[in-house]
Amino acid sequence: MVKYSNISIVSTHSSFMEGYPFAQNKDVADGLYNETMSSGIPIIYTSPMATVTHDFKKDPRVTFTYSAEFTHYCKEQEFDNDSPMCGKVMLSGKMEKVTDVNELVWAKYGMFARHPDTRDWPLLTDLRSTN
């Protein structure tokens, strides 16, 4: 499900409202749909000014939530999003900036192929993944 999803809900500990959670939908990538290669590690492209980036810097713990609804599978099968037959996956870890050259090439490849508009985002934007 992670490989086939273009979006995820990323949950953090809010850096602006102490003690409260924060969640935001984010474009996400892990390679391409038609490739067998997938790392299982979600990649997002985010601005250093974004609320979630401030959250990551204060507390890198995050949870990515995926639903088969995000892949249109549930709609095609006529399953309601809350149905147990519409699968869900949550991945928790610590967010980190992608700095390894090979990982950066892979991250850009997947993100820009799935979300072409991100190629035109400001250069200050970071690619981040969970560990």
Side-chain angles (χ1 to χ4, degrees):
M1 185 181 321
V2 173
K3 178 181 177 178
Y4 297 107
S5 294
N6 280 332
I7 61 169
S8 178
I9 306 300
V10 179
S11 301
T12 63
H13 296 273
S14 177
S15 60
F16 294 103
M17 297 186 306
E18 193 67 38
Y20 284 86
F22 181 77
Q24 182 178 8
N25 61 307
K26 294 295 291 177
D27 288 343
V28 66
D30 181 17
L32 298 180
Y33 299 116
N34 59 349
E35 293 182 342
T36 56
M37 207 161 80
S38 176
S39 67
I41 299 171
I43 301 290
I44 64 169
Y45 205 34
T46 189
S47 164
M49 297 178 290
T51 302
V52 293
T53 305
H54 289 277
D55 295 348
F56 301 151
K57 288 180 179 178
K58 185 172 181 183
D59 184 343
R61 294 176 298 164
V62 299
T63 297
F64 282 79
T65 303
Y66 295 87
S67 170
E69 179 71 23
F70 300 165
T71 67
H72 306 291
Y73 172 80
C74 296
K75 184 176 182 178
E76 291 167 1
Q77 300 299 313
E78 298 182 359
F79 297 154
D80 184 83
N81 181 55
D82 284 335
S83 167
M85 295 182 289
C86 185
K88 287 148 188 78
V89 173
M90 292 195 299
L91 304 175
S92 295
K94 292 185 178 178
M95 199 60 131
E96 61 184 30
K97 185 174 180 177
V98 178
T99 56
D100 178 87
V101 175
N102 292 328
E103 289 179 16
L104 198 53
V105 168
W106 171 254
K108 286 181 180 180
Y109 170 72
M111 182 59 68
F112 296 160
R114 286 184 180 222
H115 307 284
D117 288 350
T118 59
R119 285 185 197 151
D120 299 325
W121 288 5
L123 295 176
L124 294 175
T125 305
D126 294 334
L127 285 156
R128 295 189 175 261
S129 68
T130 57
N131 61 1

